[in-house]
Amino acid sequence: MVNAYVPEIAVTKKTEVATPDTINELNKILSKTGKSVLYELYRTPRIQHKALAVNINTSPTSLSNLLTRIGTIDPPLLRVEQVGRSKYYSLTKIAEQYVASELIQKETYNINTFFSVPANDSLYDEARRILYQFQSLAGSEWLLILDDMLFNDMNTDEAKDELFTLYTQFINKMKQMYVQKESLSIHKIYDELSNSILIGRLENYLKNSLKDSHALIPLFDLEKQNPQTAIDLINYAFAEMKPQVFGKDDLSLFPDNDLPVSAEQYNAILRRLLLMVNEFADYHGAKLKVRKNWEESFYTSNITLSFIAEKCNIIFLVESRKFQQ
C-alpha cells in the first residue's frame, strides 16, 4: 500500500480562522472528490489511511494521490499523526471551518461523490457550524468579540448585522442543548472555545437566561424517559391546582404522593404551570400563539408543552364562561 506523505501542520493563531477569501479560494481549487475526503475527515477525525479509503469507496493508491494534492494547498487542510507505522489523518481548524460552513450548511451541494452519508443535523453540529461562521466573519479577534457580546448581554434591538445574527443563532443552539441536558455536546463546544474565561461567562449567561426554563426541565426529562408518565404528572398537577375544573380523579395517578420527581421539583413545576395558566389568559386563549411563544422561551418543542397548552385552554374556556354568566 502506498501512503502519501503529508507534512505535520503546526497551526498558528493567524491561520486558525477561515476568512471569506480563504473559503472562496478553497471552493475554486478543491475538486468534488477532495471535498468528499474533507467531509469524511470531518465526520471521522483521526482515521487511518486504509479505513479512510474504505469509507469513501476508493483504492488506497487513489486516496494517496488525492491526499498529496490536498497536502499542497495553502492554507494547510490536513493534520497527519505518525504512530509507529500507522498514520492518522485529521483536519486543521481552517478545514473544519470550511467543511462546516460550505459542505454541511449548503444542502444543495452533492457531497456523495464516493459514498452516501445522512445529513448531520444534531444540535452540536449546528452550533459548531454557526460558531465557525462567526469565527470566519469576525476574524482573529472573534474571541474578544464573542466575549463582549456575552458581557454586554446584547439583544436584537441593539444590533442587526450578520455577525450578531450568527451570535444569536449560536446562543439559541446552546440554550437548546442546555435545556435538553445535552451535556456532552455542550462540553464539546466548550472545547472548541478553549478559553476558560469565555466558557465561564457563557455558562453563567445560559444559567441566568434560562431560569424560567429550569422548573420544567425535570418534566422534559421525564417525557424522554416515559411520555405517559410526564402526561400523568401534568394531569396530577392540574387536578391539584384546579380541582374545580378537572376534578380530583387524577390525584389517584400517584397514590401516597409517590411522584416521579422530587417534592422540590414538583413544587417548582406547579408554580411554573400556574404562571403558564396566567400567560395563556393574557393571550386571550390564542393557543397556537402562546404555544409558539413557549417553544421559543423554553427552546424546545415537545408533547409536554402541547399538552400543557390544552390544559390551559380548558381552564380558559371554563373560566371565560363563568365570567360571561
Side-chain angles (χ1 to χ4, degrees):
M1 182 179 72
V2 179
N3 282 339
Y5 170 73
V6 185
E8 180 83 30
I9 304 301
V11 183
T12 64
K13 289 184 178 179
K14 291 184 179 179
T15 60
E16 286 181 345
V17 176
T19 64
D21 287 343
T22 300
I23 289 175
N24 289 336
E25 189 63 25
L26 290 176
N27 279 332
K28 293 177 184 176
I29 62 179
L30 279 169
S31 65
K32 287 186 177 181
T33 53
K35 291 175 182 178
S36 297
V37 169
L38 295 186
Y39 188 83
E40 178 60 22
L41 288 174
Y42 183 90
R43 295 175 61 243
T44 320
R46 204 174 180 275
I47 188 173
Q48 287 184 275
H49 187 281
K50 185 177 180 180
L52 179 59
V54 170
N55 285 2
I56 64 173
N57 194 28
T58 191
S59 69
T61 301
S62 296
L63 177 60
S64 294
N65 294 333
L66 184 55
L67 290 174
T68 299
R69 292 195 296 273
I70 295 175
T72 63
I73 294 174
D74 185 33
L77 303 178
L78 300 176
R79 293 181 184 274
V80 182
E81 181 184 356
Q82 185 84 42
V83 180
R85 296 182 178 181
S86 301
K87 286 182 178 180
Y88 295 85
Y89 295 88
S90 300
L91 298 180
T92 62
K93 283 290 184 183
I94 281 184
E96 288 180 344
Q97 293 167 25
Y98 171 77
V99 173
S101 173
E102 296 298 295
L103 305 188
I104 290 179
Q105 180 189 14
K106 296 182 178 178
E107 298 176 355
T108 55
Y109 179 76
N110 181 15
I111 194 67
N112 307 317
T113 304
F114 292 135
F115 55 96
S116 178
V117 294
N120 194 336
D121 58 355
S122 69
L123 285 175
Y124 165 69
D125 284 310
E126 280 295 298
R128 184 169 68 159
R129 176 184 64 77
I130 295 166
L131 178 61
Y132 285 165
Q133 287 182 279
F134 183 94
Q135 292 171 332
S136 175
L137 190 61
S140 59
E141 300 295 316
W142 72 270
L143 273 172
L144 293 175
I145 294 171
L146 180 56
D147 183 69
D148 186 55
M149 286 180 163
L150 285 168
F151 183 76
N152 291 305
D153 191 17
M154 300 175 71
N155 57 56
T156 52
D157 293 328
E158 296 175 34
K160 298 290 185 182
D161 61 8
E162 185 180 354
L163 194 62
F164 181 75
T165 299
L166 291 172
Y167 164 77
T168 303
Q169 291 173 349
F170 173 69
I171 290 298
N172 285 342
K173 293 298 178 185
M174 292 300 295
K175 287 179 177 179
Q176 283 181 267
M177 286 190 283
Y178 197 90
V179 169
Q180 297 177 26
K181 287 195 170 180
E182 299 286 347
S183 56
L184 179 61
S185 296
I186 290 172
H187 284 287
K188 285 167 72 176
I189 291 294
Y190 289 168
D191 289 341
E192 296 282 346
L193 296 176
S194 300
N195 183 290
S196 58
I197 296 175
L198 182 61
I199 291 169
R201 201 184 306 282
L202 178 57
E203 180 78 13
N204 289 332
Y205 176 86
L206 292 174
K207 287 179 180 178
N208 291 331
S209 62
L210 292 171
K211 284 179 180 178
D212 287 343
S213 303
H214 286 177
L216 293 190
I217 286 178
L219 197 54
F220 298 152
D221 292 342
L222 196 59
E223 180 185 327
K224 291 180 182 178
Q225 300 164 18
N226 189 325
Q228 186 56 54
T229 304
I231 295 299
D232 288 345
L233 185 60
I234 294 170
N235 282 327
Y236 181 93
F238 274 96
E240 184 175 28
M241 184 168 52
K242 293 283 186 178
Q244 68 276 22
V245 175
F246 299 103
K248 296 184 179 181
D249 289 348
D250 285 336
L251 294 177
S252 62
L253 288 168
F254 299 102
D256 302 320
N257 291 325
D258 186 19
L259 301 175
V261 295
S262 69
E264 182 181 359
Q265 289 174 332
Y266 175 71
N267 289 331
I269 290 171
L270 204 59
R271 288 193 296 270
R272 191 65 187 89
L273 291 178
L274 183 58
L275 288 175
M276 294 171 83
V277 169
N278 294 332
E279 288 170 7
F280 196 93
D282 290 341
Y283 276 86
H284 304 289
K287 186 167 60 176
L288 293 179
K289 188 174 182 180
V290 72
R291 191 172 68 187
K292 182 180 178 182
N293 182 60
W294 288 344
E295 289 173 354
E296 292 174 353
S297 298
F298 291 105
Y299 298 93
T300 187
S301 174
N302 52 29
I303 298 171
T304 298
L305 289 179
S306 297
F307 193 67
I308 291 172
E310 293 297 334
K311 303 293 280 189
C312 290
N313 188 49
I314 293 172
I315 294 172
F316 177 78
L317 292 174
V318 170
E319 295 186 345
S320 294
R321 290 193 194 104
K322 285 182 179 179
F323 180 77
Q324 290 172 359
Q325 292 175 355

